[in-house]
């Protein structure tokens, strides 16, 4: 077990904590404005408990809390360290799966209201996506109104949550071979809600004590997330708000403007932010902003809400997870609107040092010190306009002596849904993954790697994510991105086709240039990790790269993860047969058996496992090794060699 990464002998300088110059500047400003951030609070939480770090503390019943040591190897109830570590782990996966799935549920309920004509200004933005989804689930759609189809689909999706018996229907979107792995291992989840509730039951005092059984339920629960709640969230978002396609924008704190009313949307669920994106274009509101002395309105995003409005509207991204406080510290934010997940409870405290108002909008999520303005779907557009007016009214309270917006932002292209990738690869009439599969078979692309997840102040922000991404592109690996990892790459300029192409290895670069795709594809938010599985499934369906996801040269990486959601994502990747590299370990180090199960034994059962690589170069080597092993097994490495000779011959002929 390695020591927690934050045990530094001395306080770190800003430049050692974050990579990008905008964040460095704001950390300096935070210090001079006497404002605490995640980074400074981590310093006050330095001696993080070794029992917690290793998962060896149990407070599940009130005979405890119990902590496992050499002298006290069992809790009061008799639970050993393996049971305790596995139970804690399962509860984390439950937390992550619940968050993603509840997000999905809210969207399904909104779809139902839209179908019933009860959802104000919301409508079905992408009818072909609706009909495509209906066909996927075997629902009749031809000759029926989109509302009728949407109602059926919403009903079917609600049953995915409430199903008590039989496997989740959405599992059938996976390749058939993978479905049989799940069936044979007995880890097909039933309804999402049932599966998550069962986590709490199994981990109750005196229930499931076999660490393997507990961990298998963790994988089952994660499947209910990745091939359940998250997948539904992505499908319904596309139906309601449009399937993303490549769109240009900018990222980093420099997207905030000194002379405009600046509004930030932050969190995860796209319903309100969609309306804000629409309302922010309203000429009337623009006129009001001007009347208040501003030059206009700037709407920008943080975290995954940012990703949602970026991939559909090109709304710029102010920053990723650890920049939420830094955005406020610019002194130039009139209003920060939060919904759910990853919104720090410190925000109102940071905002108090400036004129910024923090408003929470979800019934699920209130923050002490923030104004709570619950948003009603039927009045969403009015709610959005009212929020913008609030920001305009707050503009005059801005203290220009406290404003310092770093002039740092990067151009980017985002919005690579699977449909968009298919279209780019094959055109409208022959949209398909064939050219990608061929490029992988020929060895011009070595494989697919998803680099996803959060930032964590224990690690230098964005450093691992971007070092690894650059290295992979160089090694001819196509990199798929979501969440805060995607924003990290955006800030580093890695999402512009031009600059990333310069990095790409020769064969890969040729493919990218021929097809017109960048080597790093921003696919969306955290729930959109389901799109990565969709893409890998598409590769299997296209043929030539195995019948199962575990055969595809593909790997997932969560370099700087921090959230329970990332654990659930990691588990559903592994359960799908895709190896996962972690930049730092889970809280399971206290149990050798649990660690071995997750890093080794699980491969026997599911064809993939976790691996911890604290160094990005080591991770790149491990990834290439994994990809290469899959390529060997598919027999395509030799093919690639032959192809290379072919190409050389042809070149020789043409000169
Ligand atoms: Fe949150 Fe999704 Fe993590 Fe970013 S990446 S810190 S979960 S916003 Ni999903
Ligand atoms: Fe202690 Fe067992 Fe209770 Fe956990 S469940 S707190 S190990 S007695």
């Amino acid at each position: 077990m390695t020591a927690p990464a934050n045990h530094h002998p001395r306080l770190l300088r800003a430049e050692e904590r974050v990579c990008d110059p905008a964040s460095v500047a704001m950390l300096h400003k935070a210090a001079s404005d006497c404002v605490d951030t995640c980074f400074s609070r981590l310093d006050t939480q330095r001696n993080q408990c070794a029992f917690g770090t290793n998962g060896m503390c149990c407070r599940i019943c009130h005979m405890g809390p119990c902590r496992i040591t050499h002298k006290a190897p069992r809790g009061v109830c008799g639970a050993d360290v393996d049971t305790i570590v596995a139970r804690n782990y399962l509860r984390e996966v439950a937390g992550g799966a619940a968050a993603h799935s509840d997000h999905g549920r809210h969207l399904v309920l909104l779809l139902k209201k839209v179908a019933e004509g009860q959802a104000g200004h919301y409508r079905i933005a992408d009818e072909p996506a609706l009909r495509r989804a209906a066909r996927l689930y075997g629902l009749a759609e031809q000759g029926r109104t989109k509302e009728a189809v949407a109602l059926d689909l919403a009903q079917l999706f609600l049953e995915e949550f409430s199903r008590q018996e039989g496997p989740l229907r959405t599992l059938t979107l996976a390749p058939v071979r993978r479905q049989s792995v799940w069936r044979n291992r007995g880890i097909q989840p039933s309804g999402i809600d049932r599966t998550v509730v069962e986590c709490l039951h199994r981990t109750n005092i005196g229930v499931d004590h076999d660490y393997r059984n507990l961990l298998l339920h963790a994988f089952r629960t994660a499947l209910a997330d990745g091939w359940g709640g998250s997948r539904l969230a992505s499908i319904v978002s596309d139906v309601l708000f449009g399937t993303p396609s490549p769109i240009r924008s900018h990222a980093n704190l420099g997207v905030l403007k000194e002379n405009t009313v600046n509004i930030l949307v932050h969190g995860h669920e796209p319903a309100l932010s969609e309306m804000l994106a629409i309302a922010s274009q309203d000429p009337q509101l623009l006129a009001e902003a001007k009347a208040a002395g501003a030059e206009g309105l700037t709407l920008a995003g943080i975290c995954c809400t940012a990703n949602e409005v970026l991939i559909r509207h090109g709304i710029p991204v102010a920053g990723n997870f650890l920049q939420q406080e830094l955005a406020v510290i610019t002194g130039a934010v009139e209003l920060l609107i939060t919904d759910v997940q990853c919104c720090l409870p410190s925000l109102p405290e940071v905002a108090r040092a400036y004129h910024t108002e923090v408003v929470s909008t979800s019934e699920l999520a209130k923050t002490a010190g923030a104004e709570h303005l619950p948003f009603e779907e039927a009045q969403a557009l009015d709610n959005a306009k009212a929020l913008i007016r609030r920001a305009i009214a707050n503009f005059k309270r801005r203290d220009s002596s406290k404003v310092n917006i770093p002039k740092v932002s990067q151009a980017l292209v985002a919005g690579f849904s699977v449909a968009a990738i298919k279209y780019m690869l094959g055109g409208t009439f022959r949209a398909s993954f064939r050219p990608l599969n061929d490029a992988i078979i020929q060895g011009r692309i070595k494989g697919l790697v998803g680099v996803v997840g959060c930032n964590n102040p224990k690690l230098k922000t964005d450093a691992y994510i971007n070092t690894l991404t650059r290295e992979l592109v160089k090694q001819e690996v196509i990199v798929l991105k979501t969440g805060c990892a995607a924003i990290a790459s955006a800030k580093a300029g890695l999402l512009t086709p031009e600059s990333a192409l310069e990095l790409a290895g020769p064969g890969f670069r040729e493919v990218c240039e021929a097809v017109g795709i960048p080597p790093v594809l921003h696919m969306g938010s955290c729930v959109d990790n389901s799109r990565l599985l969709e893409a890998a499934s598409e590769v299997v369906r296209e043929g030539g790269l195995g019948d199962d996801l575990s055969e595809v040269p593909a790997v997932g990486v969560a370099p700087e993860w921090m959230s329970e959601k990332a654990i659930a994502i990691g588990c559903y990747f592994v359960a799908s047969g895709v190896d996962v590299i972690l930049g730092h370990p889970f809280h399971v180090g206290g149990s050798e058996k649990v660690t071995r199960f997750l890093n080794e034994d699980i491969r026997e059962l599911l064809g993939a496992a976790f691996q911890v690589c604290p160094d990005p170069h080591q991770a790149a080597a491990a990834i290439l090794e994994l990809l290469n092993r899959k390529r060997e097994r598919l027999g395509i490495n030799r093919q690639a060699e032959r192809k290379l000779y072919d190409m050389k011959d042809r070149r020789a002929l043409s000169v």
Side-chain angles (χ1 to χ4, degrees):
M1 183 66 211
T2 48
N6 63 324
H7 279 197
H8 293 292
R10 60 177 174 82
L11 293 190
L12 293 175
R13 289 180 296 116
E15 292 78 1
E16 293 169 293
R17 296 184 190 269
V18 294
C19 287
D20 75 272
S23 297
V24 171
M26 286 308 98
L27 278 182
H28 288 306
K29 186 167 189 289
S32 65
D33 292 356
C34 299
V35 174
D36 273 331
T37 64
C38 261
F39 299 94
S40 56
R41 286 188 301 271
L42 178 63
D43 293 334
T44 66
Q45 291 286 346
R46 275 177 157 229
N47 299 315
Q48 288 182 343
C49 166
F51 293 99
T53 303
N54 291 312
M56 303 153 81
C57 169
C58 183
R59 43 185 295 278
I60 275 171
C61 90
H62 285 241
M63 297 191 286
C66 300
R67 305 189 303 183
I68 299 303
T69 62
H70 281 304
K71 283 197 184 137
R74 287 180 184 265
V76 177
C77 68
D80 65 12
V81 74
D82 306 321
T83 302
I84 290 173
V85 169
R87 274 198 304 220
N88 287 337
Y89 186 78
L90 177 55
R91 285 200 167 196
E92 291 187 282
V93 173
H100 284 146
S101 299
D102 222 26
H103 169 167
R105 181 205 320 278
H106 295 151
L107 288 167
V108 173
L109 288 170
L110 180 57
L111 178 67
K112 180 162 174 277
K113 281 195 195 147
V114 169
E116 294 167 339
Q118 306 284 320
H121 285 81
Y122 292 104
R123 59 194 177 82
I124 291 158
D126 194 339
E127 192 177 334
L130 168 71
R131 294 188 183 276
R132 231 175 11 240
R135 285 196 299 274
L136 273 181
Y137 287 87
L139 291 176
E141 54 89 15
Q142 269 182 359
R144 303 181 68 209
T145 65
K146 57 179 192 286
E147 289 75 18
V149 177
L151 191 59
D152 280 0
L153 192 67
Q155 213 64 56
L156 189 151
F157 284 177
L158 286 177
E159 281 162 23
E160 292 290 75
F161 288 90
S162 62
R163 181 181 306 283
Q164 300 300 316
E165 290 172 311
L168 209 59
R169 288 270 307 263
T170 306
L171 299 178
T172 59
L173 303 187
V176 180
R177 276 274 303 283
R178 189 48 28 182
Q179 292 178 50
S180 68
V181 171
W182 296 333
R183 202 176 317 116
N184 295 339
R185 302 300 177 211
I187 61 162
Q188 290 173 306
S190 187
I192 298 161
D193 292 350
R194 180 188 159 171
T195 306
V196 175
V197 166
E198 229 179 76
C199 296
L200 296 178
H201 181 188
R202 282 168 185 257
T203 53
N204 220 260
I205 160 89
V207 187
D208 196 354
H209 302 133
D210 179 337
Y211 73 94
R212 283 164 301 216
N213 208 40
L214 286 159
L215 294 175
L216 282 178
H217 192 65
F219 287 102
R220 188 180 291 118
T221 303
L223 285 175
D225 175 352
W227 294 95
S230 283
R231 188 66 185 271
L232 300 184
S234 298
I235 293 173
V236 176
S237 301
D238 289 357
V239 170
L240 287 175
F241 313 127
T243 304
S245 58
I247 190 163
R248 284 186 184 271
S249 189
H250 286 84
N252 214 340
L253 296 171
V255 304
L256 298 172
K257 303 215 182 72
E258 256 177 49
N259 306 320
T260 64
V261 173
N262 292 318
I263 302 167
L264 289 176
V265 284
H266 175 24
H268 280 77
E269 292 185 6
L272 175 60
S273 52
E274 273 290 316
M275 281 300 158
L276 283 160
I278 294 166
S280 67
Q281 307 297 321
D282 185 332
Q284 168 69 32
L285 290 175
L286 212 63
E288 290 176 29
K290 287 190 173 150
E295 277 173 17
L297 287 168
T298 298
L299 180 68
I302 304 266
C303 281
C304 282
T305 297
N307 287 324
E308 298 279 0
V309 284
L310 165 70
I311 60 179
R312 297 197 177 84
H313 300 279
I315 301 287
V317 179
N320 44 4
F321 177 60
L322 290 174
Q323 285 180 294
Q324 55 187 290
E325 295 171 310
L326 306 183
V328 175
I329 290 166
T330 63
V333 175
E334 273 57 58
L335 187 65
L336 172 54
I337 303 163
T338 62
D339 53 72
V340 290
Q341 301 168 21
C342 300
C343 303
L344 295 177
S346 65
L347 287 171
E349 183 62 33
V350 177
R352 238 189 304 280
Y354 309 93
H355 73 302
T356 307
E357 283 191 322
V358 180
V359 170
S360 57
T361 57
S362 163
E363 282 300 355
L364 267 65
K366 295 189 179 180
T367 295
E371 186 84 22
H372 187 70
L373 297 174
F375 124 85
E376 308 282 344
E377 282 155 353
Q379 283 97 44
L381 189 59
D382 291 339
N383 290 167
K385 286 182 181 171
L387 285 168
I388 293 178
R389 290 210 164 91
R390 204 182 169 101
I392 294 171
N394 197 26
F395 181 69
K396 62 176 183 303
R397 289 184 53 238
R398 193 195 280 185
D399 176 353
S400 58
S401 73
K402 286 190 175 174
V403 174
N404 177 7
I405 306 173
K407 305 261 170 308
V408 181
S409 77
Q410 274 288 346
L412 67 96
V413 179
F416 293 90
S417 58
V418 169
I421 299 174
K422 263 185 170 176
Y423 169 75
M424 296 200 74
L425 290 168
T428 333
F429 294 108
R430 278 200 288 175
S432 97
F433 265 48
R434 194 69 249 160
L436 176 67
N437 280 34
D438 286 343
I440 296 174
I441 292 167
Q442 293 157 2
R444 297 203 277 171
I445 295 178
K446 298 291 179 295
L448 311 156
V449 173
V451 180
V452 308
C454 325
N455 295 114
N456 185 329
K458 291 178 176 178
L459 304 170
K460 185 175 178 182
T461 303
D462 299 343
Y464 189 133
I465 294 169
N466 287 328
T467 309
L468 175 65
T469 301
R470 285 195 187 91
E471 186 61 28
L472 291 174
V473 170
K474 215 180 291 170
Q475 302 284 346
E476 306 185 302
V477 170
I478 186 162
V479 182
L480 312 178
K481 296 230 151 187
T482 60
C484 289
I487 300 174
S489 294
K491 289 190 284 169
L494 292 169
L495 298 188
T496 53
E498 305 78 22
S499 66
L501 269 182
E502 279 167 29
L503 289 172
F508 185 25
R509 180 154 68 203
E510 271 177 34
V511 178
C512 291
E513 279 169 347
V515 176
I517 51 166
V520 184
L521 303 179
H522 184 332
M523 296 184 76
S525 64
C526 305
V527 291
D528 291 329
N529 283 309
S530 66
R531 294 188 202 272
L532 271 60
L533 296 178
E534 189 191 353
S537 305
E538 210 52 57
V539 167
V540 170
R541 204 157 296 134
E542 192 54 51
L545 289 169
D547 299 327
D548 183 16
L549 292 170
S550 66
E551 292 175 72
V552 176
V555 176
V557 198
E560 302 173 26
W561 68 278
M562 62 85 201
S563 166
E564 287 174 334
K565 292 182 287 170
I567 306 180
I569 293 165
C571 284
Y572 71 65
F573 270 58
V574 168
S576 301
V578 179
D579 280 277
V580 170
I581 309 268
L582 302 169
H584 62 112
F586 297 131
H587 288 164
V588 299
S591 165
E592 268 171 39
K593 285 184 185 158
V594 168
T595 304
R596 194 176 339 107
F597 188 88
L598 295 172
N599 295 352
E600 292 170 35
D601 306 350
I602 194 68
R603 187 179 298 285
E604 286 289 301
L605 300 171
L606 298 173
F610 288 103
Q611 190 175 333
V612 180
C613 292
D615 172 76
H617 299 287
Q618 180 199 348
I623 290 164
L624 284 161
E625 166 72 32
L626 284 165
L627 295 178
N628 199 42
R629 230 182 285 160
K630 305 242 153 144
R631 298 183 60 87
E632 276 296 324
R633 221 168 289 148
L634 287 166
I636 56 175
N637 267 349
R638 269 143 303 173
Q639 226 165 314
E641 266 167 42
R642 268 206 304 280
K643 193 77 198 171
L644 215 61
Y645 286 121
D646 281 2
M647 279 172 50
K648 277 187 196 149
D649 289 349
R650 240 178 287 153
R651 271 191 206 139
L653 284 175
S654 65
V655 280

